[in-house]
Amino acid sequence: MGRSEWYYDGHPPACTCAACNEGGSRSRRTETATYGGGTGGISTDTTTDEDRNESGGGSGWKWVLGIVAFLVLVRLGSCLENYQLGSERRSGLPVEADLTDTSIQSKGTVDVPISAMSDEDGTSPHLKHIEAKQYMLHLINKERRLAGVPPVTLGDNIAAQLHAESALTNCFSSHWGIDGLKPYMRYSLAGGYQSNSENGSGSDYCIKENDWYEPIWSVEEELSVIMEGLMDSPGHRETILDTWHKKVNIGLSWDIYNFSAYQHFEGDYIEYDGLPSIDNGMLSFTGSVKNGVSFHDNEDLGVQIYYDPPPHALTRGQVARTYCYDGGIQIASLREPLSGGWYYEDQEFTKFYVPCPDPYNIPANAPVARSHDEAGFLWEQSYIESENQPEQSVIVPAITAIEWIVQDEIFSVAADVEDLLMVHGNGVYTIVVWGRIDGKDAVISEYSIFHGTTPPDTYTPR
């Protein structure tokens, strides 16, 4: 699984972390099928589970870079150099929006459950701050047009908006939520099942009046600053300009001094007749593909399974130390059943990966940042720890499916995963489906199944 990192600044420097474009690939090794019947020696056929580089975001299983940013008067000179406060003032007319200070003084001490947040005016979360979201969409498509890639449309998945609100209310900025969920989990719970990737901007410290910062005067300018920073970062830029993205779900939340913004891009390449599910030890799903995806033969379909332990609540001190995150551990790769005397010689393969520090391994009482400087120090510590993570390996079993129907745009898959459940137990099993777009392998679907664990109902569309 790839790694995703974020920056600590509203204006990410032109330089980028060495690890930002590392490791974002899936292992699809070559497996040999041997013919066991008849005479004439041993013949071979192959199905592939090859490496595909997905770092920095974009369509598929791209656990994309996010930014942890101060959006007021903060500049970084280089990736890890000491930063200093600036004295710039924002100008321009504010977008019509909520600029009310909502108990900023108390934000540094209380973790507010995301389930406690409600939309008082009854507006669906994806429509909240719609004018500001349309402006950010305009900025995104402006950059895509300049790069010669098709525009994206505004999506209706609510996970990005709810995460932005949680991040602002609880004074943190991370792909992890204080509910313990990662982006692909939130996206699935909110009804998403396409390929998806997230950019983010925010802060691990809430600016207060006595910090002597100038208030936000223009939401439009704030969004322009965020986009400028994202485009200055190679990984974020790659996500924004990925030609295979079709939609973007935007989450925005702000008060007088603080701004939280998330861009959750998604594809539009698959429709399920039956979403991936695990019942009585059997994984199954059926559906069809669209928008240029087609299956010319069985090898054009790829299926992988990733695992995360059951999620639980995290504190601000824990999420503030999550410089990067990964997409769980790959625990299986599915392959088509063989007939006519053919069989697979290999039943497993070794995958190498570099994990990210896990916030669950950080003490729940880890202190939070009490100032801008402390937030920066925590960011640098998290970055260094992430860079020093050793490479690890995992043995991934190759599971031969019971059903593997692939024809033109139609697919149907069923596989016995009882042994996987016995080994890993309850948790989040994310099903990753590959296809071919314009002759290239790409992830076309990611869907998280919460097996034996109950997720929060916060993200359920209403």
Side-chain angles (χ1 to χ4, degrees):
M1 201 64 256
R3 291 154 52 92
S4 237
E5 295 103 11
W6 40 259
Y7 290 98
Y8 173 80
D9 198 298
H11 292 271
C15 57
T16 185
C17 324
C20 285
N21 291 317
E22 289 181 353
S25 62
R26 296 186 173 285
S27 175
R28 290 198 62 173
R29 77 182 288 275
T30 298
E31 298 168 2
T32 301
T34 301
Y35 185 74
T39 60
I42 298 176
S43 301
T44 62
D45 192 10
T46 60
T47 59
T48 59
D49 202 349
E50 63 202 25
D51 286 342
R52 290 158 170 163
N53 187 6
E54 299 180 317
S55 60
S59 73
W61 196 254
K62 299 181 178 181
W63 306 117
V64 49
L65 307 177
I67 295 178
V68 170
F70 278 120
L71 298 176
V72 281
L73 317 179
V74 180
R75 303 277 180 177
L76 277 179
S78 64
C79 283
L80 288 176
E81 291 178 359
N82 292 332
Y83 51 87
Q84 58 185 4
L85 299 180
S87 58
E88 301 172 49
R89 299 177 64 91
R90 290 179 172 77
S91 60
L93 297 176
V95 172
E96 180 182 351
D98 176 15
L99 292 178
T100 304
D101 183 351
T102 55
S103 303
I104 297 176
Q105 296 287 348
S106 67
K107 288 182 180 179
T109 58
V110 179
D111 286 334
V112 181
I114 189 172
S115 58
M117 302 174 194
S118 61
D119 197 346
E120 295 180 358
D121 62 5
T123 302
S124 176
H126 78 280
L127 296 175
K128 198 169 184 179
H129 307 312
I130 187 61
E131 291 185 3
K133 290 179 179 179
Q134 289 172 340
Y135 181 70
M136 176 168 269
L137 177 67
H138 161 73
L139 296 176
I140 291 170
N141 281 331
K142 177 181 178 181
E143 297 294 347
R144 291 176 67 88
R145 182 175 67 254
L146 292 173
V149 297
V152 292
T153 59
L154 197 60
D156 59 5
N157 190 283
I158 65 176
Q161 179 61 36
L162 295 181
H163 186 58
E165 293 175 9
S166 177
L168 183 74
T169 301
N170 293 285
C171 297
F172 75 90
S173 186
S174 172
H175 288 299
W176 291 83
I178 59 170
D179 53 12
L181 301 185
K182 303 180 192 178
Y184 52 95
M185 300 178 188
R186 295 189 293 268
Y187 173 77
S188 294
L189 290 174
Y193 48 79
Q194 305 288 343
S195 56
N196 63 95
S197 31
E198 182 184 84
N199 282 342
S201 175
S203 174
D204 282 317
Y205 174 74
C206 279
I207 302 298
K208 302 180 289 292
E209 183 177 4
N210 58 5
D211 288 325
W212 301 104
Y213 281 82
E214 195 71 17
I216 296 172
W217 292 104
S218 169
V219 172
E220 286 189 358
E221 182 175 346
E222 202 72 19
L223 295 175
S224 297
V225 169
I226 290 171
M227 279 297 297
E228 178 184 344
L230 292 171
M231 291 301 295
D232 283 344
S233 164
H236 300 92
R237 180 185 179 91
E238 180 183 348
T239 300
I240 292 170
L241 302 182
D242 193 308
T243 187
W244 290 343
H245 287 327
K246 295 293 186 180
K247 301 178 182 179
V248 60
N249 306 286
I250 298 175
L252 303 176
S253 188
W254 64 85
D255 57 32
I256 292 178
Y257 299 103
N258 305 279
F259 207 107
S260 179
Y262 286 85
Q263 303 170 340
H264 202 138
F265 291 86
E266 62 178 329
D268 187 22
Y269 297 103
I270 195 166
E271 292 296 336
Y272 284 105
D273 298 321
L275 282 167
S277 63
I278 299 176
D279 298 305
N280 296 320
M282 186 69 65
L283 167 67
S284 62
F285 53 91
T286 62
S288 60
V289 292
K290 59 182 180 178
N291 287 331
V293 181
S294 62
F295 301 123
H296 299 293
D297 53 52
N298 286 346
E299 295 180 4
D300 287 342
L301 174 66
V303 182
Q304 298 167 328
I305 305 175
Y306 286 76
Y307 173 79
D308 286 283
H312 60 74
L314 296 168
T315 65
R316 280 185 56 217
Q318 290 173 311
V319 296
R321 290 163 173 81
T322 55
Y323 174 80
C324 67
Y325 80 102
D326 52 48
I329 299 176
Q330 186 178 352
I331 60 171
S333 178
L334 303 191
R335 59 192 181 188
E336 64 175 302
L338 301 178
S339 60
W342 293 89
Y343 64 94
Y344 294 104
E345 289 185 325
D346 299 329
Q347 304 304 317
E348 61 188 22
F349 59 91
T350 301
K351 177 174 182 176
F352 295 91
Y353 67 101
V354 178
C356 284
D358 194 326
Y360 291 127
N361 296 330
I362 298 169
N365 61 353
V368 299
R370 295 171 295 178
S371 69
H372 164 66
D373 288 342
E374 285 192 10
F377 177 71
L378 289 178
W379 176 84
E380 290 189 12
Q381 280 189 320
S382 301
Y383 171 83
I384 293 170
E385 183 178 358
S386 173
E387 288 291 275
N388 291 330
Q389 291 294 299
E391 185 178 64
Q392 297 185 16
S393 63
V394 62
I395 304 298
V396 181
I399 299 177
T400 302
I402 295 174
E403 179 178 87
W404 189 278
I405 298 174
V406 178
Q407 185 176 4
D408 297 327
E409 288 80 30
I410 306 298
F411 62 86
S412 180
V413 174
D416 186 346
V417 295
E418 183 65 35
D419 288 346
L420 289 182
L421 303 180
M422 293 284 289
V423 171
H424 300 282
N426 296 335
V428 182
Y429 291 79
T430 300
I431 312 305
V432 179
V433 180
W434 292 80
R436 291 185 69 79
I437 307 174
D438 297 332
K440 298 180 180 179
D441 292 323
V443 171
I444 58 174
S445 175
E446 304 160 21
Y447 186 75
S448 293
I449 301 170
F450 288 74
H451 177 76
T453 182
T454 302
D457 65 358
T458 313
Y459 306 98
T460 304
R462 291 179 174 84

